[in-house]
Amino acid sequence: MLKKIFALALITVLHGQMIHAQSLKSYTQTINGTNLAFDMQAIPAGSFKMGTKNGKPDEQPVHDVKLDAFWIGKYEVTWDIFEPFLYRDYEKQASTSPISAEVDAVTRPTKPYLDMTFGMGKEHQPAVAMTQYNAIQFCKWLYVRTGVFYRLPTEAEWEYACKAGTNTAYSFGNDVANLKDYAWYKENSANKTHQVGQKKPNAWGLFDMHGNVSEWTYDQYIADFYSQGKDKTLENPVAIPDKLYPNVVRGGSYDETPNNLTSTVRLASDPAWKQLDPQIPKSNWWFPEAPFVGMRLVRPAKTPSKTEIDAYYNKQPIKDF
Amino acid sequence: MKKEPNTQERRDFLKTSALLAGGALLSSIPLAGAYASGSDTIKIALIGCGDRGTGAAFQALSTKFNLKLVAMADAFQDRLDSSYQSLSSKFAAKMDVPKERQFVGFDAYLKAIPLADVVLLVTPPGFRPIHFEEAVKQGKHVFMEKPVAVDAPGIRKVLAAAEEAKKKKLNVVVGLQRRYQSNYREAMKRIQDGAIGDIVSGQVYWNSGGVWVRPRTANQTEMEYQMRNWYYFNWLCGDHIVEQHVHNIDIANWITGQHPASVQGTGSRAWRTGKDYGEIYDNHANEFTYPNGVVVYSQCRHFEGTSNRVDESFQGTKGKVYLSGGNQAILWDANGKEIYNHNTKGNANPYQTEHDELFEAISKGEYKFTNADYGATTTFSGIMGRYATYSGQTIKWDEALAANNSLLPERFAWDANPPLMPDANGLYPVPMPGKTKVL
């Protein structure tokens, strides 16, 4: 049985590659065996100028980056699809067919001691407060469910997708007065997250890139990382994380002021996000003091090898004392 | 609500009780056996080496004072070992716990307490009264986790030991960390200054998705199974209304400056019905009535896939307040105008603050903390809530506190039977309102 599912998963992966060989199209991914689905927007391969000369030192220098094509979530990941991963019993409720042994074997988050919605609501609202490890394990669960490799965006992919061909402070221009049309942030959020997709999308059809929740990237936060691109074009750059802190989140949240919502602002994760976790070792899964952090999915056009996929998903969590 | 005879008097009481919590009132009383210069080492013992106990020891050892961990005790060898390992990886220089001072078993606490100046009591709550009584008897300062008991006899033991601790001028801090959290402290200051007038009602919640389950493994005795899976057995945990919701109920007691006179409510097992979940309920809804007529509504549940909230709201004669453990505190006046909004970011870690303040007092030879009193009355408020939902009766404070309804087993041993045993299908008897007797 296990073998059969695995073979099926591989076939789906190969099928995915064939789609890419023709042309990248936006699509809706159903989560196999459930009635749940989410939308992925096609982002063409291309080059862009990463960073900004008007920003903080860690957003400089502006440098050329070349990226392969990928898909990125049209919306931030919502509790609607995150909770079946979080709760086995809830997954059973959401399932239309028996849950396979392989799905069942995916490591789930420990149940959060606190209420991780922080009373902000759940339906169509972004899932929040997960650690980067948790976000990646959610991707693994999706992979096992769908046979499609999903992962976190790299910083470069995130910024490229956010800018959508622009070079202004925000994807819609430089005028802060327009921010309210595109983003939930400190001035209009009433201190909480909002249902995804309520504001205007950017030119590439992506919603809530600015505000609502800050979004995980895969990159370790390295303040002077952009200096590597000084006199050359970086191809698919990524700072692969090897420490627990800090990693980069992007886009700003409902809790931020406009200057922290630009396309280029980089926020570093902080151990203080876990200080309300009273246990040692601290949870690998939750940031009880970061209700402003969420995630968005990426699928690369070129599917990596099975070995690479396993390596991505199966990195052991770094113990947090 | 009854008209209050003298609101000013009550507000003064509120102030005094808050000062006791914060510690300013008793600070001038000198303490015998002080660590006057800060040069002497303060010896601590950890009783209960689970993840929370290890966390408490981390916080103690992270204070700036001259501390040494000299003894560790746990019922289980493996929990002690992993705790020792975690602590050693971070605090090698502050660890002085050779094998002969690592104690395992039900009586491990008896061997560890005498070796220290300060003890951290962090086992499941069912053991707390016994451990606290022993620590006070031996003249030790105490940090103990909430809740501090699971039944009326346990609460009486804690209250008696609290009196004894006062006579001996022993500092006692209880891990109701909201009392040490800046948003709550800032809000309480303003409320005590009359920002929203006198409190007339409130709503407190702990609605979440529940906590861990540790499945039964081969060769476990029933005692070992229940000890490992302690959350689901009342003699160890007190039910989630006591174990978790105690935080929110404590805010109701703190803000009203009282403890409830009576409780009535309803609860059941709706979601968590299988044999992995012992005997406890997964939802309780209670109405706490205070001596001055204030009514606080309380709700706690462990349901997956539902909307959640963990927070507190209160209404006063001149405004209202919203509070949550995520560092929120918002006060509005009677017209709905915001008068205070606490910054949610950059706050001190309240778990650390508890230890910073406790060990500062001890190192200076000051007597500042008598948290055991409110730790006990708040815990008992939660226990009364459980008595109300299990029995379906209205529970009165005085009557309930006098009850001889101990939940503890007769004998603590791995081969002894716990007070509650499973039936042939592995299911435990579950309380039934209208039939179950609690007093």
Side-chain angles (χ1 to χ4, degrees), chain B residues 161-218:
Chain B
E163 284 310 304
E164 193 63 24
K166 282 180 211 162
K167 283 181 202 151
K168 294 183 175 179
K169 293 181 184 169
L170 301 172
N171 286 295
V172 180
V173 163
V174 171
L176 286 159
Q177 81 281 354
R178 280 166 171 73
R179 300 243 185 181
Y180 294 81
Q181 193 164 351
S182 52
N183 61 319
Y184 287 94
R185 286 179 161 185
E186 290 300 317
M188 286 306 286
K189 258 192 245 165
R190 286 161 177 83
I191 292 165
Q192 283 148 16
D193 287 343
I196 60 169
D198 292 311
I199 302 299
V200 292
S201 59
Q203 303 79 35
V204 297
Y205 301 89
W206 193 301
N207 293 346
S208 71
V211 301
W212 47 264
V213 173
R214 297 187 185 128
R216 200 181 285 274
T217 60

Side-chain angles (χ1 to χ4, degrees), chain B residues 81 91 95 106 144 203 207 227 245 260 270 285 289 414 426 437:
Chain B
D81 289 348
F91 299 105
M95 295 285 287
F106 286 102
M144 63 176 165
Q203 303 79 35
N207 293 346
M227 288 280 285
H245 194 35
T289 302
W414 296 118
K437 295 260 179 282

Side-chain angles (χ1 to χ4, degrees), chain B residues 111-297:
Chain B
K111 298 167 191 161
I113 289 174
L115 304 174
D117 307 307
V118 186
V119 294
L120 314 179
L121 306 180
V122 210
T123 62
F127 294 107
R128 197 94 65 246
I130 303 169
H131 292 176
F132 181 52
E133 181 181 54
E134 181 68 22
V136 171
K137 196 169 123 194
Q138 300 212 23
K140 310 302 182 185
H141 300 283
V142 171
F143 169 82
M144 63 176 165
E145 262 308 337
K146 56 83 231 172
V148 300
V150 297
D151 54 24
I155 292 294
R156 292 199 301 271
K157 203 185 272 279
V158 172
L159 287 171
E163 284 310 304
E164 193 63 24
K166 282 180 211 162
K167 283 181 202 151
K168 294 183 175 179
K169 293 181 184 169
L170 301 172
N171 286 295
V172 180
V173 163
V174 171
L176 286 159
Q177 81 281 354
R178 280 166 171 73
R179 300 243 185 181
Y180 294 81
Q181 193 164 351
S182 52
N183 61 319
Y184 287 94
R185 286 179 161 185
E186 290 300 317
M188 286 306 286
K189 258 192 245 165
R190 286 161 177 83
I191 292 165
Q192 283 148 16
D193 287 343
I196 60 169
D198 292 311
I199 302 299
V200 292
S201 59
Q203 303 79 35
V204 297
Y205 301 89
W206 193 301
N207 293 346
S208 71
V211 301
W212 47 264
V213 173
R214 297 187 185 128
R216 200 181 285 274
T217 60
N219 304 323
Q220 268 178 333
T221 63
E222 182 61 26
M223 182 63 91
E224 179 174 356
Y225 170 72
Q226 293 194 13
M227 288 280 285
R228 295 270 186 198
N229 220 32
W230 61 268
Y231 208 92
Y232 300 98
F233 298 94
N234 282 325
W235 71 275
L236 287 159
C237 165
D239 200 321
H240 72 111
I241 186 176
V242 177
E243 207 279 337
Q244 284 193 322
H245 194 35
V246 65
H247 286 296
N248 319 102
I249 296 171
D250 185 50
I251 300 305
N253 287 1
W254 188 15
I255 211 166
T256 58
Q258 302 171 321
H259 61 69
S262 67
V263 186
Q264 75 89 22
T266 187
S268 68
R269 277 160 78 97
W271 223 105
R272 217 164 35 191
T273 54
K275 59 186 175 186
D276 290 339
Y277 304 112
E279 64 180 317
I280 69 170
Y281 278 9
D282 56 22
N283 68 94
H284 305 256
N286 279 299
E287 208 174 61
F288 289 94
T289 302
Y290 286 78
N292 62 354
V294 169
V295 177
V296 173
Y297 175 73

Side-chain angles (χ1 to χ4, degrees), chain A residues 129-185:
Chain A
M130 74 289 282
T131 59
Q132 192 198 48
Y133 174 75
N134 187 341
I136 292 171
Q137 295 313 299
F138 171 69
C139 294
K140 180 180 178 179
W141 176 77
L142 282 178
Y143 172 62
V144 176
R145 273 277 187 186
T146 63
V148 180
F149 176 62
Y150 288 102
R151 62 164 169 77
L152 297 178
T154 65
E155 262 205 275
E157 286 167 343
W158 191 95
E159 188 171 318
Y160 177 58
C162 177
K163 284 180 165 173
T166 67
N167 248 325
T168 43
Y170 306 98
S171 58
F172 54 82
N174 285 320
D175 192 353
V176 174
N178 295 327
L179 189 57
K180 61 179 190 320
D181 299 332
Y182 292 84
W184 296 109
Y185 62 112

Side-chain angles (χ1 to χ4, degrees), chain A residues 50-57 59-63 163 167 264:
Chain A
M50 188 162 180
T52 170
K53 58 181 193 303
N54 306 319
K56 298 171 187 148
E59 297 166 45
Q60 301 180 34
V62 176
H63 58 291
K163 284 180 165 173
N167 248 325
T264 50

